[in-house]
Amino acid sequence: MKVLKFGGTSVGKPERMHSVAQLITADTDAKIVVLSALSGTTNALVEIGQSLSEGKKTEAKQQIDKLESHYRAFCNELVKTEAGRANAKAIVDEHFEFLNIILRISFNEALNKDILAQGELLSTKLFSAYMEETGVKAVLLPALDFMSIDEFEEPDIPRIKVKLNHLLEQQKGQTLFITQGYICRNFRGEVDNLKRGGSDYSASLIGAAIQAKEVQIWTDIDGMHNNDPRVVKKTFPIEQLSFDEAAELAYFGAKILHPASIWPAQHFNIPVKLLNTMQPEAKGTIITEMPNGNGVKAIAAKDGIIAIKIKSSRMLLAYGFLRKIFEIFEKYRTPIDMITTSEVAVSITIDDQRHLDQILKELQPFGTVELDHHQAIVSIVGNEVAATPSILKKLFDSLNEVPLRMISYGGSRHNISILVGGQHKEKTLQLLNKGLFGLE
């Protein structure tokens, strides 16, 4: 069985849903199809939740009505028969009735999670209605019946495996299943989610749970590119990456793939393909266990980085200094991206500033704390890049004009990362594209 995930842009217009239906029925392979919410829906639902949290119920009502109008128009183009339109209307009625009811309920975070889940529930039900209209038998598998996270907000893979396989057993003989990405239940049984970009994660977790033949991630770009095509004019898709290379690229900013989505597939050695819904004939990128040769494969960049520098004259003689520093970040569940040390200072980068004030307060006793906002991490990724001297020379020769804030080298054989001011990110990507790939 294969797992195919389609993102928001792939299902964001009625004609694109029609194309997805053609793609998934082009062969008779058994498959589970994972759908995101229609593009723009999750942002709209976030805004509705924000308005409700601020007590702006009139504003929330206007936002709900606007979103409902969008779905009514969408359905008119999606389905054409009388029965199909009645089915689609009933689906939209049900979910917007819920959104209107919450206007009369006290807002809380659990309710907000319910609001955010409506996008995926709508997209999968409407897609199933279209499939039914066209006479294709597809079984809707509610993700809330099998996808779960534990008290640490981590996926409970053994539980997912048992529940999902039990549901599939009940549908013996069926070969096409539709389910929601992103949404799940938490350890209390409440509706929750896998955070933004979590549909990729859902697909990978489902692939791991059923030991899938492969996981396909369908987006609006033909695979992972060697650089950010939004910033650099000349880029090209990479035909093959290893799990390690792809994980580095996803974590350090490659938007095509959610960072968490690699490890379930890697753990169970399930190939992942990145494909283009708009160009289904394109090769895309395949991610497998083995690398396809050495050298630089791609460059990725991550915005919104905060650099924290702790200077202390006592650091050199202070046994356990770094451990105590790390414990503060661990306490606030804030991951560290990069770290450099000297005899009198340690510099750390983070991209999550939710607990920044508390972290800074607890760092004060250790020395002088300096903060730099609006930084960017640029990562050069490829098998053995950190062990290839010629690559390091090309990298630094390319960046004579760019002031470097930090360098991370040696922590991974597959990655060299540099920290630059956010204002230098685009220039850095362009210079590296020329210096490492010979592309202007």
Side-chain angles (χ1 to χ4, degrees):
M1 184 174 273
K2 296 177 182 177
V3 178
L4 284 68
K5 175 261 175 178
F6 292 90
T9 53
S10 297
V11 294
K13 294 180 179 178
E15 60 269 26
R16 289 186 180 171
M17 264 200 186
H18 297 162
S19 297
V20 169
Q22 291 173 353
L23 273 171
I24 66 175
T25 55
D27 59 52
T28 57
D29 293 346
K31 53 182 74 75
I32 297 177
V33 178
V34 181
L35 300 184
S36 297
L38 274 59
S39 53
T41 298
T42 302
N43 286 338
L45 293 169
V46 167
E47 289 173 4
I48 291 165
Q50 184 65 32
S51 295
L52 288 170
S53 71
E54 296 170 359
K56 300 175 181 176
K57 294 197 173 183
T58 303
E59 192 173 306
K61 172 61 176 166
Q62 291 170 349
Q63 292 164 338
I64 291 168
D65 289 347
K66 181 181 177 183
L67 188 61
E68 183 176 357
S69 296
H70 174 72
Y71 272 87
R72 300 283 180 200
F74 185 94
C75 291
N76 284 336
E77 296 300 318
L78 179 68
V79 287
K80 296 298 182 184
T81 65
E82 188 176 332
R85 286 190 169 169
N87 195 1
K89 180 181 182 301
I91 292 164
V92 174
D93 286 349
E94 174 195 353
H95 287 278
F96 281 93
E97 181 183 2
F98 167 78
L99 288 173
N100 280 292
I101 286 171
I102 62 173
L103 292 168
R104 304 193 295 270
I105 300 173
S106 296
F107 182 84
N108 56 53
E109 189 53 36
L111 183 61
N112 192 43
K113 299 284 179 65
D114 271 317
I115 294 169
L116 294 177
Q118 300 308 302
E120 280 70 21
L121 293 171
L122 277 162
S123 67
T124 48
K125 289 181 182 180
L126 290 173
F127 184 70
S128 295
Y130 172 70
M131 298 296 280
E132 185 179 331
E133 183 183 68
T134 57
V136 176
K137 176 64 176 173
V139 178
L140 185 61
L141 281 178
L144 297 178
D145 288 354
F146 65 85
M147 188 64 70
S148 58
I149 54 176
D150 60 24
E151 62 268 35
F152 303 109
E153 300 186 342
E154 294 295 336
D156 189 344
I157 292 185
R159 186 177 175 132
I160 295 167
K161 185 173 184 177
V162 169
K163 287 193 165 190
L164 178 54
N165 282 289
H166 177 68
L167 289 171
L168 293 173
E169 278 288 316
Q170 293 176 333
Q171 300 288 344
K172 275 198 170 177
Q174 302 299 330
T175 58
L176 182 58
F177 300 89
I178 312 296
T179 193
Q180 299 87 19
Y182 177 63
I183 64 175
C184 63
R185 289 196 186 275
N186 59 31
F187 72 104
R188 291 184 294 270
E190 301 164 338
V191 174
D192 213 313
N193 58 66
L194 299 170
K195 308 298 179 280
R196 296 303 290 265
S199 290
D200 289 355
Y201 204 2
S202 297
S204 189
L205 290 166
I206 290 167
I210 66 168
Q211 293 287 281
K213 179 182 177 182
E214 66 183 30
V215 173
Q216 299 178 3
I217 307 291
W218 290 81
T219 65
D220 56 356
I221 187 170
D222 52 341
M224 185 88 77
H225 277 231
N226 71 303
N227 207 327
D228 189 339
R230 297 166 303 177
V231 173
V232 180
K233 287 181 182 177
K234 291 184 180 177
T235 66
F236 57 85
I238 309 156
E239 283 194 22
Q240 186 176 338
L241 289 169
S242 69
F243 284 120
D244 287 334
E245 290 168 331
E248 298 273 14
L249 287 168
Y251 184 78
F252 286 106
K255 303 297 184 189
I256 191 173
L257 197 60
H258 189 259
S261 63
I262 292 295
W263 76 260
Q266 182 173 15
H267 185 72
F268 292 93
N269 197 20
I270 298 165
V272 176
K273 288 184 178 178
L274 308 179
L275 299 164
N276 187 353
T277 319
M278 319 306 166
Q279 287 182 270
E281 70 285 352
K283 281 186 177 180
T285 300
I286 184 166
I287 303 167
T288 60
E289 186 177 13
M290 297 304 294
N292 182 27
N294 296 345
V296 179
K297 298 289 178 60
I299 302 161
K302 195 174 184 181
D303 292 303
I305 302 297
I306 299 164
I308 304 170
K309 185 176 184 179
I310 307 109
K311 294 178 68 177
S312 173
S313 57
R314 296 171 292 143
M315 182 178 169
L316 180 61
L317 302 175
Y319 177 76
F321 181 87
L322 283 177
R323 174 180 57 79
K324 292 171 184 173
I325 296 289
F326 289 148
E327 282 174 349
I328 294 170
F329 290 89
E330 182 181 1
K331 177 180 176 180
Y332 293 102
R333 298 178 65 82
T334 301
I336 293 169
D337 293 321
M338 290 176 67
I339 176 169
T340 60
T341 63
S342 72
E343 289 186 355
V344 294
V346 55
S347 290
I348 286 165
T349 70
I350 61 172
D351 65 356
D352 181 351
Q353 57 179 322
R354 284 176 297 175
H355 303 290
L356 184 59
D357 290 342
Q358 296 100 309
I359 289 169
L360 294 177
K361 186 176 179 181
E362 295 203 27
L363 287 173
Q364 294 296 338
F366 292 95
T368 305
V369 180
E370 298 175 5
L371 209 61
D372 284 326
H373 287 273
H374 312 301
Q375 304 292 297
I377 293 175
V378 177
S379 289
I380 297 87
V381 174
N383 191 49
E384 300 290 337
V385 291
T388 310
S390 60
I391 291 173
L392 204 59
K393 184 178 186 306
K394 281 183 181 178
L395 191 160
F396 289 114
D397 284 349
S398 304
L399 298 178
N400 283 333
E401 306 168 35
V402 179
L404 306 184
R405 172 74 169 72
M406 286 173 64
I407 301 164
S408 178
Y409 172 77
S412 164
R413 296 177 73 86
H414 315 297
N415 177 12
I416 303 167
S417 290
I418 57 176
L419 184 73
V420 298
Q423 72 273 26
H424 300 299
K425 183 195 82 170
E426 293 193 2
K427 186 175 184 180
T428 301
L429 290 175
Q430 291 159 357
L431 289 171
L432 289 174
N433 209 50
K434 182 179 180 181
L436 298 178
F437 297 108
L439 298 172
E440 292 287 349

